[in-house]
Amino acid sequence: MDDANYADRVNGQMYTRFIKNFHEVMKPETYLEIGTQSGGTLMLAGCASIAIDPKFQINVNVAKGKPTCFLYQKTSDDFFHHYNPTTILGAAIDFVFLDGLHRFEFLLRDFMNAERFAHERSFIMMHDCVPPGFYMTTRDMDDPLRLQKSRFGPWWTGDVFKVIPVLRHYRPDLKINVLDCAPTGLVMITGQPSRRRSSSCSRRYYSLGLVRPRPRRVRPYWSDLRVQDSQAL
């Protein structure tokens, strides 16, 4: 089966530019990100920040302009098990960016953990949930299916796209905006926290679609997806 091509639906502004503009306009005072790697997105924040990554590869000055900047070289599960980010930052988190391991269950768990430390006006953004092709959604980055058949080179989103229909089903209280940010989309979520409603995801966590994505799942996802113009926000 040929690789689906939805690249024309994620050809808006680069996701890093959107995040940069968001910091400049909204001016969050506290920021947390998961999946920092080389520090490109962390560098965009000018407020008190927490960055979590099991293997930092930072090659830029990510602390510049920040009153505080905490780096935790560990998995996000380990971080949330041992630390309270509101205690570290002295306040609830205004802005969360999730770009960790590209597997459905990890992103969903990161969202559930992060929103516990958010407030009613917080923003949570998730990367890579709008894959322009099917073969980049393999759960294993080194899957021969992706390496041999994907028309998008090294791009790998994993199956994190499945988080969106799950949240829409179990969390109707959330406002979910799917943006056309290149190259693999950006999802902006507001409306948290809601302890009672978020528990509906937690109770069903181990039965929420932890299966290998197939074209018949990816294509209906796209057919139901309303992608917004990031320039219009």
Side-chain angles (χ1 to χ4, degrees):
M1 183 173 290
D2 291 337
D3 196 10
N5 187 349
Y6 302 102
D8 59 333
R9 297 186 67 184
V10 280
N11 61 0
Q13 63 181 312
M14 185 63 63
Y15 78 99
T16 49
R17 177 174 290 277
F18 184 88
I19 292 173
K20 180 177 184 293
N21 292 338
F22 180 89
H23 277 289
E24 292 174 351
V25 173
M26 301 303 293
K27 297 184 178 0
E29 296 183 359
T30 50
Y31 173 69
L32 181 145
E33 75 170 31
I34 296 173
T36 299
Q37 199 170 33
S38 60
T41 51
L42 179 59
M43 183 176 62
L44 303 175
C47 58
S49 303
I50 293 174
I52 305 160
D53 195 298
K55 189 176 181 180
F56 286 114
Q57 301 173 47
I58 294 174
N59 54 18
V60 292
N61 183 1
V62 295
K64 184 178 180 180
K66 296 176 175 62
T68 56
C69 184
F70 299 90
L71 306 181
Y72 289 86
Q73 188 161 268
K74 54 179 68 255
T75 66
S76 54
D77 287 338
D78 192 22
F79 173 83
F80 285 113
H81 181 72
H82 291 98
Y83 299 96
N84 181 328
T86 60
T87 300
I88 297 168
L89 297 176
I93 305 168
D94 293 335
F95 179 20
V96 176
F97 179 55
L98 303 178
D99 192 17
L101 186 60
H102 293 178
R103 291 181 181 171
F104 163 85
E105 64 272 30
F106 284 84
L107 179 58
L108 180 59
R109 201 158 63 235
D110 285 343
F111 174 84
M112 292 189 297
N113 281 325
E115 81 159 342
R116 292 189 292 123
F117 305 100
H119 54 79
E120 63 276 7
R121 296 181 304 281
S122 298
F123 291 82
I124 296 180
M125 295 189 194
M126 303 190 300
H127 193 214
D128 297 312
C129 292
V130 193
F134 163 66
Y135 291 118
M136 68 173 65
T137 67
T138 58
R139 284 176 58 80
D140 183 356
M141 185 178 183
D142 297 321
D143 190 317
L145 196 66
R146 184 189 74 83
L147 298 175
Q148 297 169 14
K149 295 189 175 185
S150 177
R151 68 179 70 182
F152 296 95
W155 294 3
W156 177 60
T157 64
D159 63 345
V160 294
F161 72 92
K162 294 189 292 182
V163 170
I164 306 308
V166 165
L167 290 180
R168 282 181 167 158
H169 180 77
Y170 290 101
R171 296 293 306 280
D173 56 306
L174 298 174
K175 181 178 180 181
I176 301 174
N177 293 293
V178 180
L179 308 179
D180 66 350
C181 293
T184 54
L186 194 62
V187 177
M188 184 167 63
I189 301 176
T190 55
Q192 62 280 337
S194 173
R195 293 182 183 277
R196 179 178 62 82
R197 287 169 175 159
S198 63
S199 66
S200 66
C201 280
S202 300
R203 290 195 304 270
R204 296 172 175 84
Y205 173 76
Y206 289 103
S207 62
L208 291 177
L210 306 185
V211 294
R212 181 175 179 172
R214 298 183 176 89
R216 68 172 180 269
R217 293 190 180 95
V218 178
R219 288 173 181 167
Y221 169 77
W222 266 107
S223 65
D224 295 335
L225 197 64
R226 178 172 175 265
V227 181
Q228 297 177 251
D229 181 358
S230 56
Q231 297 277 11
L233 293 182

